Amino acid sequence: MTDTAGPPEGPDEPPAPRSGAPGPQGTYGPGAGASPSGAGAARRRNRWLGALALGVSVLVLAAGGAGWVAYRKLDGNITRDTDAAAELERYEKERPTPLVHDAQNILLIGSDTRAGEENRKYGRDAGTQRSDTTILLHLAADRQSATAVSIPRDLMVDVPGCLRPDGSRTRAQFAQFNWAFELGGTACTIRTVEKLTRIRVDHHMVVDFAGFKDMVDAVDGVQVCVKAPIDDEDAQVRLAPGPRTLDGEQALGYVRARKSLGNGSDTERMDRQQEFLGALVNKVQSNDVLLNPTKLYPVLDAATSSLTTDPGIASLRGLYELVRGMRDIPTERVQFLTVPRKSYTYDANRDELVEPAAEQLFTRLRADTPVAVIPEKPVKPAPSQEQVRGDGKPDEPTHTPSPAPTFRGNTAAEAACE
């Protein structure tokens, strides 16, 4: 399929279509992960993040004058986080310097706020919120791979002094990671991530419970593999094992459930979140959604309505500029992993980084060099490889270590159920 999507124009300008072709196949520069194999993988080069770009063009070109009404509505849906931008500007001198031109790092934050009618039913609104889900998404400079790194909510980290909503400031402290969002919101979380990783966060997006549900419902549900029965009262979800197509309410419970599954660890929950996001990527990039305006508009409406972003991407044009170079990323190169972690020495209910594996991961992301993932139960590596598990210990090292160490995780191309 030839891509003819052009950048969204302003409301008073006509669209300017352009023609293009898929990027080169089989050549992967810095930032590439595990290589696809054979012609079959080449045929699966899905334009997953091209959904937004192509969607805007379809709406504008197909709907004529009504398209501009849709454009303006979608453009106005996005909430601009000007407060976070002002706070980050205050601390610009202490923030990391980007090392690789064109590489991008976007912090994705899932807020557990109970504020608002749709969120209130999930618990009491105490006037606070925490980031139960935080993912650092690294987009390689050549836009041939994307790596999403989950940061555990209970990871013990240095949280800087931050501005509270009431105008007061907190003291710097050593605390669990999700306190940063509760104490100082998005700006505090970004500064905490940058202090932890020394990776510059270029953009951020925040979505709450209601927004997440709307996104799933807009694509008519997402299929996942439920590996064991789920009956979680806190997450308000009950599911039988096997392949299941989840609606928005079920999906929210699925990614939130923790205490009733396995050992109740947040690590298992992050694994489910990563698997679900991979399935969502596959669903959104399908032609049935992308090329059908009646299905695409609800997806774009839900996506833009659910987002709070930095001013740099708080518009359809801004979002398009962010994703336009990623139309040819194949799903097997959209990778998900969790930062190497283990139980905190002084509290088994908290986490700490595993070194040197964590720093090795952060270093590679900073330099935009290859990061690859292996599944939960990896196949025994070839003699010429050296794999590093999430616990940071070498797995059958050889005399010829790989220049691209691997971490436990998965890709968006992996099947939900085998």
Side-chain angles (χ1 to χ4, degrees):
M1 181 178 66
T2 301
D3 178 17
T4 58
E9 306 292 341
D12 298 321
E13 302 173 17
R18 64 175 178 85
S19 61
Q25 298 180 4
T27 302
Y28 301 96
S35 298
S37 59
R43 289 193 297 269
R44 296 195 300 272
R45 295 181 65 83
N46 297 314
R47 295 170 171 83
W48 65 285
L49 283 177
L52 179 66
L54 181 59
V56 171
S57 296
V58 169
L59 287 172
V60 172
L61 296 176
W68 295 122
V69 176
Y71 179 99
R72 283 176 171 155
K73 181 182 185 302
L74 295 173
D75 194 66
N77 282 345
I78 307 169
T79 301
R80 292 159 173 76
D81 194 351
T82 55
D83 290 342
E87 179 71 354
L88 291 173
E89 179 65 25
R90 176 188 177 98
Y91 292 96
E92 178 60 35
K93 290 184 179 180
E94 72 176 32
R95 300 184 65 194
T97 300
L99 300 182
V100 180
H101 182 64
D102 287 338
Q104 292 279 298
N105 297 291
I106 301 96
L107 196 65
L108 312 176
I109 301 173
S111 168
D112 71 349
T113 178
R114 268 60 170 183
E117 183 177 351
E118 286 296 314
N119 296 320
R120 192 174 298 121
K121 66 180 180 179
Y122 301 106
R124 183 175 60 88
D125 178 15
T128 61
Q129 58 182 353
R130 291 191 181 182
S131 51
D132 278 356
T133 302
T134 303
I135 296 174
L136 182 63
L137 176 63
H138 175 77
L139 306 176
D142 62 6
R143 296 302 190 267
Q144 291 296 304
S145 69
T147 302
V149 181
S150 293
I151 301 176
R153 51 164 281 172
D154 295 327
L155 185 69
M156 298 301 294
V157 297
D158 290 312
V159 178
C162 295
L163 179 67
R164 292 181 183 270
D166 64 5
S168 63
R169 290 194 172 270
T170 65
R171 60 178 177 81
Q173 57 191 294
F174 186 65
Q176 66 188 75
F177 174 72
N178 69 342
W179 280 24
F181 196 64
E182 180 181 13
L183 295 174
T186 305
C188 191
T189 301
I190 291 173
R191 292 177 59 215
T192 301
V193 169
E194 291 183 340
K195 187 177 182 66
L196 176 72
T197 66
R198 289 183 290 133
I199 295 172
R200 173 76 174 218
V201 174
D202 301 293
H203 300 289
H204 69 268
M205 301 180 183
V206 182
V207 62
D208 62 13
F209 290 160
F212 177 84
K213 289 194 306 177
D214 289 344
M215 271 291 296
V216 176
D217 285 335
V219 297
D220 295 328
V222 173
Q223 187 181 76
V224 299
C225 182
V226 180
K227 299 175 182 178
I230 299 177
D231 188 358
D232 194 301
E233 183 177 356
D234 289 343
Q236 302 179 25
V237 63
R238 178 178 294 178
L239 297 169
R244 296 283 178 268
T245 298
L246 308 184
D247 62 21
E249 192 73 44
Q250 292 171 319
L252 180 60
Y254 178 76
V255 299
R256 290 182 63 220
R258 177 167 65 101
K259 297 179 181 178
S260 63
L261 297 177
N263 60 8
S265 72
D266 202 45
T267 299
E268 290 189 8
R269 178 167 64 173
M270 286 186 292
D271 289 342
R272 285 198 313 280
Q273 292 171 349
Q274 293 167 5
E275 291 168 3
F276 183 87
L277 288 175
L280 179 60
V281 165
N282 276 306
K283 185 63 178 286
V284 169
Q285 59 78 40
S286 69
N287 288 346
D288 187 45
V289 174
L290 294 184
L291 299 181
N292 186 336
T294 61
K295 290 188 176 182
L296 182 61
Y297 181 82
V299 175
L300 294 174
D301 190 32
T304 53
S305 297
S306 68
L307 289 178
T308 298
T309 77
D310 60 279
I313 56 173
S315 66
L316 285 182
R317 180 180 290 276
L319 288 173
Y320 178 86
E321 290 298 322
L322 178 66
V323 305
R324 68 176 178 171
M326 297 176 283
R327 292 187 296 268
D328 295 317
I329 298 181
T331 51
E332 58 265 32
R333 304 188 76 80
V334 181
Q335 306 173 123
F336 299 90
L337 65 147
T338 300
V339 62
R341 41 72 56 202
K342 63 181 179 181
S343 293
Y344 181 47
T345 303
Y346 302 104
D347 186 345
N349 294 317
R350 301 289 179 263
D351 292 329
E352 64 180 312
L353 295 179
V354 170
E355 298 295 1
E359 180 53 34
Q360 183 181 47
L361 172 62
F362 300 151
T363 298
R364 301 191 80 85
L365 293 177
R366 284 195 298 270
D368 196 34
T369 49
V371 172
V373 299
I374 53 176
E376 179 74 23
K377 295 180 180 179
V379 177
K380 185 176 180 179
S384 63
Q385 295 179 334
E386 176 183 278
Q387 295 181 327
V388 179
R389 299 191 300 262
D391 58 8
K393 298 179 181 178
D395 185 5
E396 299 187 13
T398 69
H399 296 294
T400 309
S402 167
T406 54
F407 299 86
R408 187 177 63 82
N410 61 82
T411 73
E414 294 174 17
C417 281
E418 296 182 356

